[in-house]
Amino acid sequence: MVKYVKGSPHRLAQFKSCAERKTIACNASLTLDVPTRWNSTYTMLEVAVKYERAFDLMIDEDSNFVTYLCDDGPGKRGLGLPNDDDWANVQHFIKFLKVFYDVTMQILASFDDDKLSDMAFRMKLKYDKYWGDFEKINLLLFIAFVLDPRYKMEVLEFWFLSNIGEAKTDRIVFKLKNILEQLYSHYAMHDGESGPSGARMSNEGRISSTSTSLGVGLGSGTSYDPQLNKDALKDFHTFQARRNLMLAQTEIEKYYVEGVEIPSDTFDILMWWNVNSAKYPVLSRIARDVLAIPLTTVASESAFSTGGRVIDCYRSSLAPKTVEALICT
């Protein structure tokens, strides 16, 4: 609706006329959000909700507006006209986003301390570099999640569907399955070097499940009773395993079709892979290596933060040996 109104001066003038006739006491101008910035979404909704009656009047008087909302191109249905539930949802989103908006303004838009604002801005850029685009996050983080027998691919896919939609979910799941298959092929080629025994993990290298589940911890921090779900899921797991296990050909397929483990505070993911290394000799070697990667580390570039000052647009033709000498010095 905001996009339509701001699409031309004529529509905007018509909208202002509707606002005046509805005696809406608001001087704020409509703003269109940037899809990747939720703080701008808050600003858009916070203003738009004040003009609810003006939007309703414009829908009654402008047939093109109705067509715009109901028709999303040749043969495609649009979202339709807004109803009371839609406006109620807007109110809920405003309350939710206001918390983040206020914090963002307090940190990023601090007018009292320019140094704090500059530091926070650079922190935000660093955060966006690694976590801003969901599809650009290091996929090995998700592979480690898949290699957690309490979650596997099905829980991860369920979370994706709930948060990023079906289209993105299909793309990421396809990538993850492809990466895991490539890892499997690579490790299988070298399986003879260590064999199943080489996949077994020593007790000296055991890490608790809390530190190797990527901090997701579904059910952690709550009074979770594994026995409540254990009996309820036992028959389902037995049925699923009996129906699908015969169809599985590779270790990956067998791993997928077997039921997930019941989460508990005592679950040790590395011990699980140690015990099941005979059943999954190749996958257990992958798990041994992937789960050994620390989740939180100091970025390697931090140790060489002078690089940006040594190599800039005016000194971009230095020989590698010269650059190394300058940075080390």
Side-chain angles (χ1 to χ4, degrees):
M1 292 193 298
V2 174
K3 186 176 181 181
Y4 177 85
V5 170
K6 292 178 66 67
S8 72
H10 172 73
R11 296 174 187 171
L12 187 58
Q14 183 182 5
F15 179 78
K16 290 181 178 179
S17 174
C18 292
E20 291 175 359
R21 281 181 284 157
K22 286 294 184 178
T23 62
I24 297 176
C26 179
N27 296 323
S29 300
L30 293 176
T31 61
L32 190 62
D33 71 333
V34 179
T36 57
R37 303 177 116 185
W38 43 257
N39 54 336
S40 68
T41 303
Y42 165 78
T43 303
M44 177 184 69
L45 297 178
E46 196 267 338
V47 175
V49 74
K50 298 176 181 177
Y51 289 104
E52 177 182 351
R53 289 179 294 131
F55 280 116
D56 291 339
L57 180 59
M58 190 167 178
I59 287 174
D60 293 336
E61 297 182 353
D62 188 348
S63 60
N64 291 327
F65 193 15
V66 176
T67 302
Y68 180 85
L69 295 175
C70 297
D71 185 9
D72 192 23
K76 298 182 180 179
R77 291 180 59 84
L79 295 177
L81 303 178
N83 53 35
D84 293 339
D85 290 337
D86 294 324
W87 287 111
N89 287 335
V90 170
Q91 293 283 7
H92 290 310
F93 274 106
I94 289 175
K95 293 178 182 178
F96 176 74
L97 293 174
K98 187 178 188 304
V99 178
F100 299 97
Y101 177 82
D102 291 341
V103 173
T104 302
M105 292 302 296
Q106 183 177 353
I107 296 177
L108 295 182
S110 173
F111 296 104
D112 298 326
D113 193 335
D114 291 338
K115 291 184 178 179
L116 176 62
S117 178
D118 180 63
M119 181 188 70
F121 178 75
R122 286 184 281 112
M123 290 170 62
K124 181 66 164 54
L125 290 179
K126 181 67 69 175
Y127 177 87
D128 288 341
K129 176 181 178 181
Y130 293 102
W131 306 101
D133 189 340
F134 194 79
E135 295 190 62
K136 291 182 180 179
I137 294 177
N138 190 329
L139 294 182
L140 271 182
L141 291 173
F142 299 129
I143 293 296
F145 191 97
V146 172
L147 292 174
D148 190 324
R150 294 168 294 178
Y151 311 128
K152 300 189 179 181
M153 187 69 76
E154 53 188 292
V155 175
L156 188 62
E157 187 172 358
F158 174 79
W159 188 90
F160 283 147
L161 287 171
S162 302
N163 289 273
I164 63 174
E166 185 175 356
K168 288 186 176 181
T169 296
D170 291 341
R171 288 200 301 271
I172 294 181
V173 169
F174 176 80
K175 288 181 181 178
L176 291 177
K177 289 183 176 180
N178 187 47
I179 288 176
L180 187 55
E181 289 173 359
Q182 290 182 39
L183 283 171
Y184 181 84
S185 298
H186 175 76
Y187 276 74
M189 287 175 59
H190 301 83
D191 191 41
E193 297 177 6
S194 58
S197 61
R200 300 188 66 84
M201 306 174 194
S202 66
N203 289 333
E204 296 177 1
R206 286 175 56 189
I207 308 172
S208 67
S209 60
T210 304
S211 63
T212 55
S213 60
L214 298 181
V216 179
L218 295 178
S220 62
T222 63
S223 55
Y224 181 81
D225 184 2
Q227 189 61 38
L228 294 177
N229 280 337
K230 184 176 181 180
D231 295 333
L233 294 176
K234 183 177 179 181
D235 292 339
F236 168 75
H237 288 168
T238 303
F239 167 76
Q240 184 187 49
R242 185 168 59 248
R243 183 184 63 178
N244 295 331
L245 195 56
M246 295 302 295
L247 300 176
Q249 300 296 323
T250 67
E251 288 182 32
I252 297 179
E253 292 175 345
K254 292 179 181 178
Y255 179 70
Y256 284 155
V257 299
E258 286 192 344
V260 296
E261 293 290 324
I262 302 298
S264 71
D265 294 335
T266 60
F267 182 81
D268 190 324
I269 186 172
L270 296 186
M271 178 56 69
W272 188 95
W273 279 108
N274 189 35
V275 171
N276 288 274
S277 59
K279 184 192 297 184
Y280 304 113
V282 178
L283 272 182
S284 60
R285 292 174 57 215
I286 298 174
R288 177 193 61 189
D289 293 344
V290 172
L291 295 177
I293 302 173
L295 175 62
T296 55
T297 63
V298 176
S300 59
E301 64 189 69
S302 298
F304 304 98
S305 57
T306 59
R309 297 192 291 273
V310 173
I311 306 175
D312 56 29
C313 58
Y314 301 105
R315 304 176 66 184
S316 58
S317 300
L318 296 173
K321 184 176 294 186
T322 306
V323 172
E324 182 180 5
L326 288 172
I327 291 179
C328 291
T329 301

